[in-house]
Amino acid sequence: MTELEQLQTRVEKVRRRMNAACARAGRDPSSVLLCAASKTQTPATVALAAGLPIDLFGENRVQELVEKSSAGAYGSTPLHFIGHLQTNKVRQVVGTASLLHSIDSEKLLRAVEKEAARKGIVQDVLLEVNLAGEESKSGVLPKDLPALAALSEDFLHLRVLGLMCVPPRTCDVSAQHRAFETMRRLSAQISGLGLSRARMQHLSMGMSGDFEAAIEEGATIIRVGTSIFGPRSYPTV
């Protein structure tokens, strides 16, 4: 089986799982976007995947995003940045990625606003939530989320379009549902604030091991890597 055939088979399987989850939740399958998380994949592999029924690519690393974008690997498929973003890398992703999933602080929000203003664009972003307060993960704590969302009212060059999370990893389906239900409730909370520049259009949540639960709890973007590209291989030092 060629690499393209392998990718096609995996994407078809993911789509079947997505459709089944949507059916269980009574949702239209078109309401959920499939983000192919292409961390560590080569430009050639990404270019192959760009011809398959995925909705967008998501990159975790700024260097990879720049390299693959420069190589034209994404084709006409939309590109999102889904990894932790440092303020000194903002210039490289603003205006290149159509949506930044991982805004988690006032400092980062202000850096994105400044760079978007410099480029004369409006950058769409999501606010990343650290549901369990895990020190190993980035994200704003749920209790601090309303204040961070409210800051968007001061900025003219960015729009908050929703929330993102990477919940604690677990095989317990009930626990998965509880985490994603919490995100849905947080989204409703922010919607209730009536902010003009923070519209809760998206919930980016769910990966290869838990995206069915995420869809059933309202995810609009799922970020799938392993189930599309297979186990990642990291270069040895």
Side-chain angles (χ1 to χ4, degrees), residues 23 43 56 67-68 90 97 104 121 163 182 203:
L56 58 105
E67 290 175 353
K68 295 170 195 175
V90 162
D104 62 356
I121 64 171
L163 307 178
T182 298
L203 274 174

Side-chain angles (χ1 to χ4, degrees), residues 140-158:
V140 61
L141 295 176
K143 67 181 181 63
D144 298 324
L145 178 61
L148 184 62
L151 284 174
S152 65
E153 297 294 88
D154 298 332
F155 302 136
L156 299 179
H157 297 89
L158 61 80

Side-chain angles (χ1 to χ4, degrees), residues 70-208:
S70 297
Y74 306 113
S76 60
T77 305
L79 171 64
H80 293 185
F81 186 75
I82 62 176
H84 176 63
L85 181 59
Q86 297 175 315
T87 54
N88 63 350
K89 299 290 182 68
V90 162
R91 178 171 295 189
Q92 295 171 277
V93 299
V94 167
T96 300
S98 59
L99 184 63
L100 311 182
H101 287 224
S102 49
I103 305 303
D104 62 356
S105 68
E106 177 179 349
K107 181 180 179 181
L108 188 53
L109 203 64
R110 292 187 181 280
V112 171
E113 164 68 17
K114 181 178 179 180
E115 182 59 23
R118 189 183 74 83
K119 291 180 176 175
I121 64 171
V122 175
Q123 177 68 59
D124 291 331
V125 306
L126 304 180
L127 303 181
E128 181 178 2
V129 181
N130 188 335
L131 283 176
E134 296 174 274
E135 293 185 4
S136 61
K137 292 179 181 176
S138 55
V140 61
L141 295 176
K143 67 181 181 63
D144 298 324
L145 178 61
L148 184 62
L151 284 174
S152 65
E153 297 294 88
D154 298 332
F155 302 136
L156 299 179
H157 297 89
L158 61 80
R159 288 179 297 225
V160 176
L161 295 188
L163 307 178
M164 182 269 252
C165 77
V166 182
R169 183 176 297 181
T170 177
C171 294
D172 183 337
V173 176
S174 295
Q176 293 172 2
H177 277 273
R178 286 194 297 272
F180 297 135
E181 180 186 16
T182 298
M183 286 294 293
R184 178 160 47 84
R185 292 180 183 276
L186 288 172
S187 177
Q189 178 187 5
I190 301 305
S191 291
L193 298 177
L195 302 172
S196 63
R197 300 191 68 79
R199 304 296 177 88
M200 296 293 101
Q201 295 176 215
H202 286 299
L203 274 174
S204 172
M205 58 188 194
M207 296 183 284
S208 290

Side-chain angles (χ1 to χ4, degrees), residues 16-91:
R16 287 195 297 270
R17 291 170 62 191
M18 291 175 66
N19 290 342
C22 284
R24 289 192 295 271
R27 298 182 61 187
D28 183 341
S30 66
S31 67
V32 186
L33 299 176
L34 174 56
C35 170
S38 44
K39 181 172 70 173
T40 76
Q41 304 304 317
T42 66
T45 294
V46 169
L48 287 176
L52 299 176
I54 62 172
D55 298 301
L56 58 105
F57 285 104
E59 289 293 351
N60 290 73
R61 297 171 175 169
V62 173
Q63 183 178 351
E64 287 192 49
L65 179 147
V66 171
E67 290 175 353
K68 295 170 195 175
S69 182
S70 297
Y74 306 113
S76 60
T77 305
L79 171 64
H80 293 185
F81 186 75
I82 62 176
H84 176 63
L85 181 59
Q86 297 175 315
T87 54
N88 63 350
K89 299 290 182 68
V90 162
R91 178 171 295 189

